[in-house]
Structures are given as C-alpha cells and as structure tokens.
Amino acid sequence: MKRKHLLLKVSAVLTVSSTLVTAAPFDRSVKTKENFEASIPRPEQDKAVAEKLAALEAKTGKKPNILWIIVDDMGYGDPGCYGGGGAIGAATPHIDSLAREGLKLTSCYSQHTCTPTRSAILTGRIPFRTGLTRPILAGDKLTKNPWADEKSLAALLSDAGYYTLLTGKWHIGEAEGMRPHDVGFDEYYGYYPAQKEITQGKDARRYPDLVNNEELHEAFEGIKPNDHLIHGFKGGKTEELSQVKTTDDMGRADKALVDFTISKIKEAAKGEKPFFIEHCFMKVHCDNFPNPDLGNLSAARYAYKEAVAEVDLHTGEIMKALSDAGVLENTFVFFTSDNGPQMDGWPDAGYTPFRGAKGTTFEGGVRVPGIAYWKGIITPGRESDDLFDLMDLFGTAMNLAGVSNDELPDDKFYDFIDQTSFLLADDGQSAREAVYFWWGSQLTACRMREYKAHVKVILPQAPHMYIDLSTIQDVGLAPWLFNLYIDPKEEMTVGHRRNAWLASVAGKLKAHGATFKKYPPKNIGL
C-alpha cells in the first residue's frame, strides 16, 4: 500500500464526530518534543529513581550493566509464572524465580513477528519507519541498507563507554553493513538466521522435497542463509566457526551460546567498562531439536517443551554467572520473547491464552512475557498491568547509561518511552499511554488503558494457521473495540454501544498514523 493511500485510508476509517474528540482527561500523555512519542509525566517517581541510581553509581563507580534475555517465539502462557510451566508439560523454575524476585509485567507488547521486534528494540522506532517490517528470508533482495542512517542502541552505548555484545540469533540482515558488529555491537557471537532457516536444508523428514531432490537442494544452496556460527568484531575480523551440518548440531547451539555469554560476563565483570549484553536464544522457534547431551528436560517430552525447559535451564545458568561474578546488584536484567507463539508449527509451538498468535496483532501475537529484575533495586514480588512496549527498553537503556535523547537526530520520529522509573520505583507506574500495532506497512490497532481498537484484523482460514493460511481484512463500518479486562480473548466488541472511549482510542490511532506524513517511512524492498 502506498504511503499516501495508507494515511488517507486510516483517516477515513477513523473519522469521528468533532463533538466526541475531546478526551484530555482520558489521554494523560504530553508531548515534550515534536519527533518523540508523547508520554505520561511521572515527575515524583522519576526523581526518586534518579536519586537511587545516583547513589548506586557513587557506590560502584560506574554505570549499571544491562542484560536482555530474549527468547524466540515463546508464548505468553509458556512460563509457569504466566500460567504455564509444569501445568502444561515444561516446568520453568528459573524464569518463575525471576518473576517472584522482580517485576512481572502482564501487558508487555512486542511486534507481530521477530525481525520487527528485534529492530524496534535497537532503534526505538516502529519497524515501518525503518523498513524492517518482516523477516529477511532466503531469496530476498534488499534495495538499501536500513541501518545506514539509523543510530542503534548498541552504538550509542558503545560510544558511552559500554562493552556491547550480542549473542545468538540476529535475523536483521547478514549482508556486510547489516551485521551486529557493523551496526554498533563491539562483538557478535551467534547465528544470523532463525534455526528453521538453518535446518530446513538438513532435515529430510520434514523437508523431503528439498533435501532429497538434488537439483532443488543445489539451488537452495545458492540462496540459503549462512549456517555457520559467526564470531565478529566491530571494525575487525568476522570468522565463520563451526557449521551446522545436522539437526543435532542445531540442538546443541544454545548451550554453546550460553557458555559464551557466561564467559563474557566473567570477563567483563573484571573490567572497568559496564556491559550491555543482548542474549538471544535460538530456541524456541520451530523447528526445535533437543540437545542430545542434556537428556529429557520436560514432562511432556515434545520437542517444543524440551526447548522451553532448556531455555529455563540456561536462564538459570546466566543468572548464576551474574551472581558468581559479583555483579548481580549492579545489573538490570530483562527477560522476554520477541513475539507470540508460532502456531503454524504446531505441535512444535507455544501457548497463549489469548486470541491469535505470531503473525497477528491480536493479543496472542503481540502480548509476551516481560520480567524486569535487579537485585536491591527492583522490589521483589511486584506485578503490573500497566502498558509496556519492548521498544521502551531502548529509552530505558539510554537513561541507565546516561545517554541523552539529544544524541538522536531531529529528522526521525522515535516511538520509545523511557520507562526507567516505572520499572525501578517501588510503586512505579507506566509512562506509556498507548501501544500501536502494525502488520508490515499497515496500521492495525491501538491499545489505551484496557481498551484496544482494531481497524484491520488478521484472520486464519484454518486452525493454527495464522501466517501461512490467513488474510488481513478491514473491520468494516467501525473499529473493533475490545475491553481487555472483561474480554481478554477479544471475542466480542463493546463498540460505542457499551463504551464511551471509542472515539478517543480511534483518535489516538489516527494521530499516530499522521506522524508518517512529516516523518515518512523507508522502503527497503521487503
């Protein structure tokens, strides 16, 4: 859809009576800068947290470490602390412990699929703005490098004196200029694509027409993504280490990646620089293969459940490494998933109690586990349903590192909110008033408070088939408005007949769409 057509269509769908638009008490957000998303002022908690962080820095002599733990395609309902765990065949004691000892977010949002989320958290921008709207797949030809004019979080933190490392899955481009160590990370150790893209050329049982057809297999070899473990350095060499030749090799990958992250935590803890580590699991994205060296880890024994249990095991190992290195009290940890479960891979797929799955902007596709942990800073046992977008990790990390928003250009629009005080204050409240949902270049929905309005929906045409057999549709005469507190599965709209806020939420969505007129999106050929 052309940009002008998109804006006109959003405007037409959301036109409301001028007598209904005034909603200042409902929308608490305030604009502080034209090219930044409006936020809810929280001056008292901001001040209290700033004082707390200043006292910690005076004690430690440096800025805090930042560790993100990102799982691939884990469903909201997979961890025990979110209603899954042992009850659905894969206990998650270490993830559950993080939630008990930190802050559990119950309205934490990702993008609808992996590449958009992974780019958004490193740019602070809606993927349609950067052009990274979907995964880059074998055979794709990009027309430009989307990273060329972006300021990544890794670059900003590296310039601020941090050691920056990404371990594991990247999936935001493997061409030179788009790799992690090209866009700001000091070091990279991992695999560029998702594990399914690596193993499909080696798994004759699942892909017999590819693996067992010599002609097709040879053609695939010419376009396949890199299947090597990569070790790269900013401004230095890039090495291809071991190649994934079998599904057992893929099964062993996460253990090797975790061992590397642990070694770097030990090393960095002895140095003078604080660290920013983004650890990205290859699991639990289908196709999952158990690590043959670990034995059975789950009660269910299914490949997906084994993957969930292994992720939990390794999460515990990473947290132990922080403790053993003596940096647990000076490290902000955030655990999450890049999107909802990929139900198209069922039974090699996760669980969500909500409607939809990966590939949709219903809650099942975008509502994910989100746990913030910081020993001595975050009060144990906190839980909040306030809104949090994973893009907010960008602003929070900038604040923790002491990087000013003035480092960001004025000619780009930024969608993140600095949520430092929400996450760290004892009774912190979110500064985010709205979460916006996009499917590629199409604006589909907006949530404010407990209300969510859809103007487009992704509907499966068969059970579980939310990507390979689904359609995207306009909703019709009026936005579909759901009250998520009484209808978390988004099954029955409340609309204007039972709700006073349809025009307010629709107006917020319309205003968001209008930002693309002054700050147009990039087209990179996806």
Side-chain angles (χ1 to χ4, degrees):
M1 183 180 293
K2 294 181 179 178
R3 298 169 192 161
K4 186 174 181 181
H5 184 215
L6 167 70
L7 295 174
L8 289 173
K9 190 159 188 175
V10 169
S11 178
V13 170
L14 300 175
T15 298
V16 294
S17 169
S18 60
T19 60
L20 296 176
V21 170
T22 303
F26 182 76
D27 185 349
R28 301 156 292 178
S29 63
V30 176
K31 271 277 189 185
T32 57
K33 197 172 181 181
E34 185 187 36
N35 64 320
F36 280 73
E37 174 67 15
S39 60
I40 305 170
R42 305 287 189 193
E44 292 183 6
Q45 71 182 34
D46 289 348
K47 183 175 181 291
V49 166
E51 292 172 352
K52 185 186 292 189
L53 291 174
L56 181 64
E57 186 174 353
K59 178 182 176 182
T60 62
K62 60 182 180 180
K63 295 291 184 184
N65 306 308
I66 301 167
L67 170 65
W68 296 349
I69 301 174
I70 299 175
V71 189
D72 201 3
D73 291 4
M74 175 174 273
Y76 181 96
D78 280 328
C81 52
Y82 285 89
I88 56 172
T92 55
H94 298 103
I95 299 170
D96 300 348
S97 177
L98 270 186
R100 284 194 306 271
E101 297 171 13
L103 165 62
K104 182 176 81 170
L105 301 173
T106 54
S107 286
C108 177
Y109 287 97
S110 66
Q111 304 297 314
H112 69 291
T113 189
C114 45
T115 294
T117 295
R118 292 165 191 271
S119 65
I121 60 178
L122 289 173
T123 62
R125 290 167 24 91
I126 292 283
F128 185 40
R129 299 192 195 278
T130 64
L132 289 160
T133 55
R134 67 163 174 83
I136 301 167
L137 304 174
D140 278 333
K141 302 293 183 183
L142 300 189
T143 56
K144 65 171 66 173
N145 178 2
W147 291 100
D149 61 346
E150 296 289 338
K151 278 202 170 184
S152 78
L153 179 66
L156 291 164
L157 267 57
S158 181
D159 290 346
Y162 273 70
Y163 162 66
T164 58
L165 165 71
L166 191 142
T167 308
K169 176 185 172 181
W170 174 238
H171 218 200
I172 325 179
E174 58 182 76
E176 189 170 347
M178 294 182 63
R179 304 167 301 183
H181 47 297
D182 296 329
V183 305
F185 284 96
D186 296 318
E187 190 171 0
Y188 172 62
Y189 188 86
Y191 298 90
Y192 295 138
Q195 55 183 10
K196 178 262 181 188
E197 294 167 41
I198 296 174
T199 58
Q200 63 186 353
K202 311 168 196 307
D203 185 0
R205 182 174 180 179
R206 189 166 177 84
Y207 306 95
D209 55 328
L210 171 61
V211 179
N212 297 329
N213 185 314
E214 186 175 345
E215 181 183 357
L216 292 182
H217 194 266
E218 187 174 320
F220 178 72
E221 287 292 309
I223 64 166
K224 73 176 184 180
N226 196 312
D227 56 5
H228 288 76
L229 177 62
I230 304 295
H231 195 186
F233 298 87
K234 182 195 294 183
K237 62 183 179 180
T238 301
E239 294 182 288
E240 292 187 350
L241 305 179
S242 57
Q243 183 182 20
V244 175
K245 296 180 179 179
T246 67
T247 56
D248 278 352
D249 290 343
M250 194 77 260
R252 291 185 171 98
D254 272 310
K255 173 61 176 170
L257 296 169
V258 166
D259 287 346
F260 186 83
T261 288
I262 289 173
S263 72
K264 287 298 178 177
I265 288 172
K266 293 177 181 177
E267 182 181 315
K270 298 174 184 176
E272 296 182 359
K273 287 185 173 185
F275 61 76
F276 166 50
I277 298 176
E278 181 181 350
H279 183 93
C280 299
F281 282 101
M282 301 301 293
K283 293 179 170 76
V284 291
H285 190 298
C286 65
D287 302 322
N288 284 290
F289 298 96
N291 184 332
D293 305 324
L294 295 179
N296 290 325
L297 299 174
S298 74
R301 300 294 196 268
Y302 274 77
Y304 182 84
K305 301 297 184 176
E306 290 292 299
V308 169
E310 185 182 348
V311 163
D312 181 78
L313 173 70
H314 294 325
T315 298
E317 292 170 344
I318 291 171
M319 296 307 298
K320 184 177 184 299
L322 292 174
S323 180
D324 290 347
V327 294
L328 199 59
E329 295 181 352
N330 197 36
T331 303
F332 169 74
V333 179
F334 197 90
F335 176 95
T336 192
S337 173
D338 61 349
N339 45 246
Q342 184 170 332
M343 294 308 298
D344 290 63
W346 190 88
D348 192 359
Y351 171 69
T352 179
F354 305 116
R355 180 178 184 174
K358 176 183 178 180
T360 80
T361 52
F362 284 114
E363 295 290 283
V366 292
R367 198 165 176 175
V368 294
I371 302 169
Y373 172 90
W374 191 344
K375 185 177 181 180
I377 298 293
I378 295 178
T379 302
R382 285 183 59 204
E383 182 174 325
S384 177
D385 193 55
D386 281 6
L387 299 186
F388 188 88
D389 190 303
L390 289 182
M391 278 188 298
D392 299 343
L393 290 171
F394 182 97
T396 302
M398 285 183 64
N399 187 329
L400 293 177
V403 179
S404 169
N405 286 350
D406 293 339
E407 296 293 323
L408 301 173
D410 292 331
D411 64 345
K412 289 181 171 54
F413 193 95
Y414 286 90
D415 302 281
F416 70 86
I417 299 290
D418 174 12
Q419 295 275 39
T420 307
S421 67
F422 168 39
L423 299 178
L424 305 188
D426 289 345
D427 297 305
Q429 294 178 290
S430 176
R432 177 170 285 281
E433 187 65 276
V435 177
Y436 308 102
F437 304 95
W438 287 77
W439 194 95
S441 61
Q442 302 185 65
L443 179 55
T444 63
C446 171
R447 177 177 173 182
M448 296 179 73
R449 303 182 187 238
E450 65 265 39
Y451 307 112
K452 185 177 176 187
H454 294 258
V455 294
K456 291 178 181 288
V457 288
I458 295 89
L459 301 177
Q461 304 304 300
H464 299 318
M465 302 300 285
Y466 292 97
I467 298 175
D468 286 346
L469 198 61
S470 65
T471 59
I472 184 166
Q473 301 177 16
D474 293 333
V475 295
L477 295 179
W480 289 5
L481 182 70
F482 298 99
N483 182 331
L484 296 176
Y485 281 175
I486 62 172
D487 181 23
K489 291 180 180 290
E490 299 172 284
E491 293 177 320
M492 177 56 68
T493 62
V494 288
H496 73 282
R497 74 190 186 283
R498 295 186 64 90
N499 191 274
W501 305 113
L502 174 61
S504 300
V505 180
K508 189 75 167 176
L509 192 154
K510 179 181 178 181
H512 170 71
T515 65
F516 288 81
K517 185 173 183 180
K518 182 170 183 179
Y519 304 96
K522 278 186 249 181
N523 183 348
I524 65 169
L526 287 181

